[in-house]
Amino acid sequence: MNKLPVSLYKDAFFCFFVLLFSLFVIIPFFQKGYFPTHDGEWAVVRLSDMYREVKDMQIPPRISGNLNFGYGYPLFNFAYPFPYYTGLILIALGVGLVNSIKILFGLSVIASSIIMYFLASRLWVDRYSGVVSSLLYLYLPYRLVDLYVRGSIGESISFIFFPLIIFCIYQIFHLSHKHLFTVILALSVAALVMTHNIMTVLFLPIIFISVLIIALLKRKTEFFLSIFGVLLGVMLSAFFWIPALVEKNYIYLSKVPIADRNLYFVKLSQLIFPTWGYGTPTDANPFTYQIGIPHIFSFLIIFSLAIYYRIKKRDLLASLAIIICSVIVIYILM
């Protein structure tokens, strides 16, 4: 596998370019107050409740004594806590509740796009390819829906950890100071579990495939360090996911379906053709399901090139790309 020559000045220049394009996405967050979204206002409410719980010395925060019409409920036993842990740091710095949530949304955009640049530029061994990948990641319609329609802070922040986890595995494979990135890998996996556990489950096959490639290259040390980092991350987050699994049968929500799944099947045209809306999927003006036309074309080009390089050059990275593209297709069909 080739390696991109290190040049801090070139990386800084391209990161600045990516940062400029990130600002176009987060400009609305600079407005006063918080614009209406499906769940964004609830993020403010949950952050305020976590702050109240920590002030009451409930560590780690689990039980809300004020929500649910004053009856309380085990909010952070089940709702992802990591974004709100991070929000507490901003509150300690004197930032208000609403601004803390807006900063977290904004940082999720900037950090994820820059990390994607570093990952893609190293994988493709080309900084321009890194910029293109970062911009496609940045302007993915699904992300814009998370930011401005659904207001999902968990999913928005999870976009930081997808490229970061793969980047750590890449660095473990290439660098001499592998143990540092093993620690970062563990912390990233733990943070992802506590940021959005469902997205973690969906991302696990990608992690498995990436680690498997190392095994196929017969890099035993790197393989075991990567496995150790992932398992350590899962264990670090066990204080969150073990109680959630053990106690989920005691909550009413686990026994009553909150939606009729038959209402949410997506037509092929909804995945392809651009539409924009702000309602729920069953409203007259629903939010978009589109994948993004540039993203579809990019996907088809990458898939075709991967097949070509696999047949002509027996390239192992091409095999990795084919497998990941196949997983993506399965997820789209799901």
Side-chain angles (χ1 to χ4, degrees):
M1 294 175 65
N2 296 325
K3 190 176 179 182
L4 189 70
V6 175
S7 174
L8 295 179
Y9 293 107
K10 289 183 179 179
D11 283 330
F13 171 78
F14 285 113
C15 282
F16 179 73
F17 182 80
V18 170
L19 176 61
L20 286 179
F21 276 86
S22 300
L23 292 177
F24 288 113
V25 176
I26 62 175
I27 281 176
F29 287 102
F30 289 93
Q31 298 180 52
K32 186 177 181 180
Y34 194 84
F35 46 82
T37 60
H38 298 178
D39 295 327
E41 295 91 330
W42 274 108
V44 177
V45 172
R46 289 176 174 178
L47 178 58
S48 69
D49 205 76
M50 176 172 277
Y51 176 65
R52 186 182 297 111
E53 292 172 32
V54 171
K55 281 186 67 177
D56 291 340
M57 299 305 294
Q58 186 185 149
I59 301 174
R62 292 190 185 277
I63 309 296
S64 166
N66 292 277
L67 299 182
N68 192 25
F69 302 100
Y71 289 99
Y73 70 112
L75 173 61
F76 293 110
N77 252 25
F78 303 98
Y80 41 77
F82 183 79
Y84 306 107
Y85 292 155
T86 313
L88 290 179
I89 298 174
L90 295 173
I91 291 176
L93 294 174
V95 181
L97 291 169
V98 173
N99 286 334
S100 294
I101 293 299
K102 290 165 65 177
I103 288 172
L104 290 177
F105 273 115
L107 288 178
S108 73
V109 173
I110 295 171
S112 61
S113 57
I114 290 176
I115 294 170
M116 177 56 79
Y117 160 76
F118 278 104
L119 170 63
S121 62
R122 270 55 183 175
L123 286 178
W124 293 108
V125 199
D126 181 79
R127 289 184 173 85
Y128 292 101
S129 298
V131 171
V132 173
S133 300
S134 180
L135 294 181
L136 287 170
Y137 194 57
L138 178 62
Y139 286 96
L140 188 68
Y142 183 87
R143 296 203 63 187
L144 301 179
V145 169
D146 272 345
L147 289 169
Y148 296 114
V149 183
R150 296 181 58 235
S152 175
I153 192 168
E155 286 189 21
S156 296
I157 293 178
S158 69
F159 276 90
I160 297 174
F161 301 111
F162 300 144
L164 182 57
I165 288 170
I166 303 301
F167 181 71
C168 288
I169 294 173
Y170 173 90
Q171 295 293 77
I172 290 170
F173 179 83
H174 277 98
L175 294 180
S176 56
H177 42 284
K178 305 176 188 298
H179 295 89
L180 171 63
F181 280 95
T182 303
V183 173
I184 299 174
L185 172 62
L187 294 175
S188 301
V189 171
L192 179 59
V193 174
M194 293 185 290
T195 297
H196 206 281
N197 44 346
I198 295 176
M199 299 295 275
T200 304
V201 173
L202 292 174
F203 191 61
L204 281 177
I206 307 297
I207 299 176
F208 174 76
I209 292 166
S210 302
V211 175
L212 182 61
I213 292 297
I214 297 177
L216 293 175
L217 290 170
K218 298 180 180 179
R219 298 289 191 103
K220 291 184 179 179
T221 301
E222 290 84 353
F223 172 74
F224 287 114
L225 282 175
S226 300
I227 290 293
F228 175 74
V230 173
L231 292 179
L232 180 59
V234 172
M235 289 187 288
L236 286 172
S237 59
F239 78 95
F240 165 64
W241 60 264
I242 288 180
L245 289 177
V246 171
E247 299 177 8
K248 70 181 183 69
N249 293 326
Y250 299 118
I251 61 173
Y252 192 61
L253 193 61
S254 68
K255 302 173 183 178
V256 177
I258 60 174
D260 181 0
R261 294 183 179 89
N262 295 321
L263 300 175
Y264 298 95
F265 284 104
V266 182
K267 298 176 182 177
L268 181 61
S269 60
Q270 291 176 284
L271 295 174
I272 299 175
F273 299 109
T275 58
W276 292 101
Y278 290 89
T280 61
T282 54
D283 287 345
N285 186 36
F287 62 73
T288 183
Y289 282 110
Q290 63 176 306
I291 297 171
I293 291 178
H295 301 81
I296 293 174
F297 278 117
S298 301
F299 177 84
L300 294 175
I301 291 170
I302 292 170
F303 207 174
S304 301
L305 288 174
I307 293 173
Y308 170 80
Y309 278 103
R310 181 68 187 93
I311 294 174
K312 293 292 184 179
K313 299 186 178 182
R314 301 286 179 179
D315 187 75
L316 193 59
L317 273 181
S319 301
L320 171 62
I322 291 171
I323 295 171
I324 291 178
C325 285
S326 302
V327 172
I328 291 171
V329 170
I330 293 171
Y331 283 169
I332 291 172
L333 294 175
M334 291 171 61

